[in-house]
Amino acid sequence: MSRGMRRAALLFDLDGTLVDTDPLHHAVFVEILAERGRELPLEEYRARIMGQHNDDVLAAYFPGEDRAVLDRKEAMFRETLAASVEPVAGIHALLDWAEANGLGTAVVTNAPRANAEAMLAATGLARRLATVVVGDECARPKPDPAPYQAAMAALGATPSRSIAFEDSRSGIRAARSAGAHVFGMASSLTPGQLLQAGAHQTIRDFADPALWDRLAQLRSEVA
């Protein structure tokens, strides 16, 4: 395999991208906000919370409270996460292809590391996706490009040879700003909403022919 191919990378958001966890997050937020006499319609969750960093959620929904409320929320989420959950369809075949063709792989998430580790363990992906970049551990979280830039640096990948997978507006913005080709995952937002947010293409899962067409193109560029 050529040196150029090894500098390519696949970069994965986690919630809603590798694992369909947004319904679980929404349910926990609904419970906590109900204690405060507030409602959280699903569309509001998708528009204002999904993909956002916890500090921004804290300021918008829990003014005057400290991070303990969101620490509790994350603990409740981990309790609802099954010991074994199925990742989004096609991911194992995609990781097999990446390994066979020398691509780097990483998870890039705004989730707390404890959540990321729990989700990757539950899906059986922890061994296969050993590089995990957490927004809180970077200079700035998504929507800043810093987490994606950190992942590219860790893998020795160049932006023009990196493909990112995202399901949220803030994640798409971060990945595009870092120079990656972005696939919007249509798990919560519609394809139209994902494209409007800046995704180059949209897919339903990792078996989507549009993704494999892009991978064939990537491979042919260094053949």
Side-chain angles (χ1 to χ4, degrees):
M1 186 57 56
S2 73
R3 185 176 181 182
M5 194 62 174
R6 287 195 295 270
R7 296 174 62 205
L10 303 180
L11 309 173
F12 301 92
D13 175 53
L14 187 49
D15 282 300
T17 299
L18 282 174
V19 194
D20 186 16
T21 50
D22 285 318
L24 299 181
H25 283 292
H26 176 241
V28 174
F29 271 117
V30 166
E31 181 176 346
I32 291 178
L33 286 169
E35 298 170 357
R36 291 156 174 80
R38 295 186 60 180
E39 297 181 350
L40 182 67
L42 181 58
E43 284 308 311
E44 181 179 348
Y45 165 79
R46 289 173 173 169
R48 300 193 59 196
I49 293 180
M50 190 179 77
Q52 298 299 315
H53 187 261
N54 271 354
D55 285 348
D56 297 320
V57 176
L58 183 68
Y61 285 88
F62 305 96
E65 300 191 51
D66 61 29
R67 285 187 64 118
V69 64
L70 291 185
D71 290 342
R72 176 181 168 228
K73 176 263 165 182
E74 300 300 0
M76 291 170 66
F77 165 76
R78 291 191 293 273
E79 288 173 3
T80 64
L81 188 68
S84 178
V85 296
E86 285 297 317
V88 170
I91 184 58
H92 287 292
L94 177 57
L95 293 176
D96 287 344
W97 185 92
E99 182 176 350
N101 287 280
L103 276 72
T105 58
V107 172
V108 185
T109 179
N110 268 357
R113 184 166 288 276
N115 283 22
E117 291 174 349
M119 284 184 276
L120 290 171
T123 57
L125 293 173
R127 179 184 59 82
R128 306 204 69 181
L129 291 166
T131 300
V132 179
V133 176
V134 172
D136 267 342
E137 298 169 9
C138 299
R140 290 165 301 280
K142 303 176 195 177
D144 193 274
Y148 275 101
Q149 292 167 339
M152 292 173 188
L155 298 174
T158 55
S160 63
R161 304 205 57 70
S162 296
I163 296 175
F165 302 92
E166 278 283 357
D167 74 312
S168 71
R169 295 175 177 88
S170 65
I172 290 169
R173 177 180 167 188
R176 278 210 62 153
S177 296
H181 182 93
V182 185
F183 278 98
M185 300 291 294
S187 54
S188 295
L189 301 179
T190 67
Q193 289 171 323
L194 293 165
L195 293 171
Q196 186 176 34
H200 294 96
Q201 296 175 259
T202 67
I203 54 177
R204 287 285 175 185
D205 57 37
F206 298 111
D208 196 301
L211 169 59
W212 289 90
D213 287 346
R214 176 67 185 181
L215 294 176
Q217 178 184 346
L218 182 67
R219 196 174 192 281
S220 68
E221 289 172 359
V222 294

